[in-house]
């Protein structure tokens, strides 16, 4: 899959208002009022912007936070992680490696074996049943 890079205007046209806000402007959807936080079907969660596979239901768990949470991405190369200084505590932002869509953040308080919690906005994902 080639790198997907659209202009800001092109993303605005392609995405819904909510998707644009989360994915391209690093917004955060409300907890518990989103599509996938309690979603338990087997399959793959893809990037809503470019279609790249990002997370597997095999690594999804209930973090009780109200956002879909995973212990790891489907492949480490599916995402890029970088420091986010926008709040007082430094967080690690998680982005789609193909199109740079903002997905959420990763925190070091997840379950074994990785100890990581990928806290992801449903809005940035599109589920495909396996
Ligand atoms: Fe993407």
């Amino acid at each position: 899959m080639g790198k997907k890079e659209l202009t800001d205007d092109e993303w605005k046209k392609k995405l819904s208002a909510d998707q644009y806000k989360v994915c391209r402007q690093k917004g955060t959807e409300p907890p518990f009022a989103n599509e996938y936080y309690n979603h338990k079907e087997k399959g793959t969660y893809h990037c809503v912007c470019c279609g790249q596979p990002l997370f597997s239901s095999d690594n999804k768990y209930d973090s009780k936070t109200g956002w879909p949470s995973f212990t790891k991405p489907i492949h480490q190369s599916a995402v890029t992680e970088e420091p986010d200084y926008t709040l007082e505590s430094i967080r690690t932002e998680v982005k789609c490696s193909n199109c740079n869509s903002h997905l959420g953040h990763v925190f070091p308080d997840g379950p074994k074996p990785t100890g990581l919690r990928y806290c992801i906005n449903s809005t940035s994902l599109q589920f495909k049943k396996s």
Side-chain angles (χ1 to χ4, degrees):
M1 187 180 293
K3 280 260 180 193
K4 182 99 173 182
E5 285 173 30
L6 301 184
T7 66
D8 192 53
D9 273 356
E10 288 169 332
W11 283 121
K12 212 169 205 166
K13 276 182 205 152
K14 183 180 155 86
L15 301 173
S16 73
D18 283 347
Q19 288 166 347
Y20 179 77
K21 200 172 165 189
V22 168
C23 300
R24 312 314 309 187
Q25 299 192 304
K26 307 183 194 285
T28 301
E29 69 192 9
F32 302 102
N34 61 70
E35 199 173 358
Y36 297 131
Y37 81 93
N38 201 24
H39 187 251
K40 294 186 173 115
E41 280 184 290
K42 289 282 179 201
T44 306
Y45 295 84
H46 295 248
C47 177
V48 81
C49 295
C50 77
Q52 171 157 274
L54 297 174
F55 296 96
S56 165
S57 59
D58 292 346
N59 305 121
K60 192 174 189 292
Y61 75 102
D62 182 6
S63 66
K64 318 275 186 213
T65 60
W67 287 285
S69 301
F70 304 86
T71 54
K72 60 180 183 182
I74 193 160
H75 305 294
Q76 199 57 52
S77 61
V79 301
T80 50
E81 299 178 13
E82 49 189 68
D84 174 352
Y85 302 100
T86 56
L87 293 186
E88 271 179 38
S89 59
I90 299 173
R91 296 175 296 168
T92 301
E93 182 188 4
V94 182
K95 298 160 85 172
C96 170
S97 66
N98 186 52
C99 76
N100 275 335
S101 173
H102 172 77
L103 306 173
H105 292 87
V106 56
F107 300 95
D109 58 11
K112 286 178 180 177
T114 65
L116 296 174
R117 170 171 59 99
Y118 284 80
C119 183
I120 304 299
N121 290 285
S122 290
T123 308
S124 72
L125 301 174
Q126 186 168 44
F127 178 76
K128 290 185 189 168
K129 222 173 170 163
S130 56

